[in-house]
Structures are given as structure tokens and as C-alpha cells.
Amino acid sequence: MRAARRARRPRHRGPARRCHVLADKPLALDVAEIEAIAAAAAEAGRVCMPAHHHRFGAAVQAAAGALAAGRVGLPWNVQADFLVDGGDPCPEGELANFGLYPVDVVRALTGQAVRRVHALRAGGRGAITVLLLGHEHGLTSTITVGRLRGTADAPGMALHRYRVSGSGGVMDVDAARPGASVRTVTGNRAAWHGPGTVGRMLTALHTAVVTGRPPEARPTPSPRCASPTPRPARSPSARPCRSTPRRSDP
């Protein structure tokens, strides 16, 4: 098994060399590259799994099961916040750094692929970005992603939550739970001693490798963005769907 680093070489070389691949985000820069990676993995009979570990959180998986059981009817909109406190800003912007995490969680919750993308960024590279997504079957989602300093007791995740509106109700998901805030004389920190999202992801990867079943997260591209939302007249920073830089945090 091979963990793909941030190198710019094509990631379909791993499956082509008969290696199972756990790839850091972003998996690729465009749909064509994702299709090449998926084809190489299928031809080699190897697992290629993007490291979207937040979909394996306990709260996210419990919510996905409840949504699949129809607890709020048919989902029609998701509002999400993925905000981090502290750390060094990504030079290419936090959309490239963090953006794929909440997008993948929305897909894990609803099962609906993204068809249209519109991004609105306020300020410079370290600023907040708002994603307006159109999914299959009329579902829409609005995702806020970025860094905000001074919003949490300790550096790390400040807000990671989802509100799913359905035809029969609303579901609020705090993806930062379960967890505890620990305050000591040396400072504050978040703690959780149960299985973490990375451990669950590695278990899912191991299961896919051993059983030969497709992994829960895999390089299956969404349909191409055929009709990006028009740019608002007073929002010069608004940009339709484009390829994203490869820079990312661990």
C-alpha cells in the first residue's frame, strides 16, 4: 500500500505499479485526471482511496444512517461550516486546503453527487470562501470554509457542522462530536479517546484491500460542471468551477 504525497506526478502511477493507494487531497486537478486514476485502479485491480477521513466521523455516519432511513424526509438543502482556528494559512487558499472535506461529507450524508459549483471568496488567500453547490436530484448545499482566529478555546477545528433540511424536518449534525474540551494550567485542548476519523478511514481501506469490495470513498468523478452559476455583478472574486491547486495540509 502506498500513501500518495503532495508530489505533482500523476497519481495513476501507483495503481499502474500494482500498489494500493491512499491519496491525499486534492486527488486530482480536473475530471480527466480523476478518470485516468479510476481507470488505472480498475485495470490493475487495486484500491485507490482519497483520504477524505471526515466522512468516517461517528456523528456523520450516524446522521447518514438516519437520513437514509427517512428521518427528515427527502433532503433538499444542506448548510455547512468547516472553520479552523489557528495554524498557518495555505498559500493557495483554504478552499484548496479544506474545501474537499465538507463537500465529501455532504455527499456521504446525502449520496448526491455535485453537478454545479460556484465559489465566492472574500478578501485574500487566507479568507473565508463560500461554496454554492448544485447536486443531483435538485439538492443544493452552501458550505463556508476557511480559518478564523480566536473563535475556539484551542487551535484546531472551530466549527464543523451540517444542517440538513428535508421535506419532513431538519437535522443538525455537529461533526466535532463526540469530544471533550480539556482545560488545564498549560492551556485548552480538545480530546476524544474513542476511534478517530483517520483510524476509521484506515480500517475501511484495509477492508477494501482484503475483501476486494470498492472503498466507500473512491475516485468516481461527478458530472462535468456544464452550467456554472453566473457571476454576480458586484462580486469580482466570484469564480465558477475551476481546477484547484494541489497544496494541502496534513
Side-chain angles (χ1 to χ4, degrees), residues 50-142:
H52 296 160
H53 61 94
H54 286 284
R55 67 160 50 223
F56 297 100
V60 171
Q61 295 203 324
L67 289 171
R71 294 289 296 274
V72 297
L74 294 175
W76 58 270
N77 177 260
V78 181
Q79 297 178 0
D81 297 302
F82 191 100
L83 300 175
V84 175
D85 190 326
D88 296 326
C90 176
E92 287 82 11
E94 303 307 339
L95 176 59
N97 191 21
F98 296 137
L100 291 178
Y101 282 144
V103 171
D104 182 67
V105 169
V106 171
R107 180 163 186 174
L109 287 171
T110 65
Q112 305 303 319
V114 177
R115 287 188 175 273
R116 293 184 305 276
V117 179
H118 192 60
L120 302 172
R121 187 176 66 188
R125 290 180 174 179
I128 301 299
T129 298
V130 177
L131 287 173
L132 310 174
L133 306 180
H135 301 257
E136 294 177 333
H137 300 103
L139 176 74
T140 60
S141 63
T142 303

Side-chain angles (χ1 to χ4, degrees), residues 174-189:
D174 187 348
R177 304 296 179 184
S181 296
V182 180
R183 295 176 172 86
T184 66
V185 293
T186 60
N188 303 329
R189 62 184 178 87

Side-chain angles (χ1 to χ4, degrees), residues 23 29 35 43 45 63 71 76 80 94-95 101 105 118-119 136 143 160 170-171 173 179 186 241-243:
L29 298 179
E35 291 174 342
E43 181 180 357
R71 294 289 296 274
W76 58 270
E94 303 307 339
L95 176 59
Y101 282 144
V105 169
H118 192 60
E136 294 177 333
I143 299 173
H160 186 199
V170 177
M171 179 182 295
V173 184
T186 60
C241 180
R242 292 289 186 270
S243 61

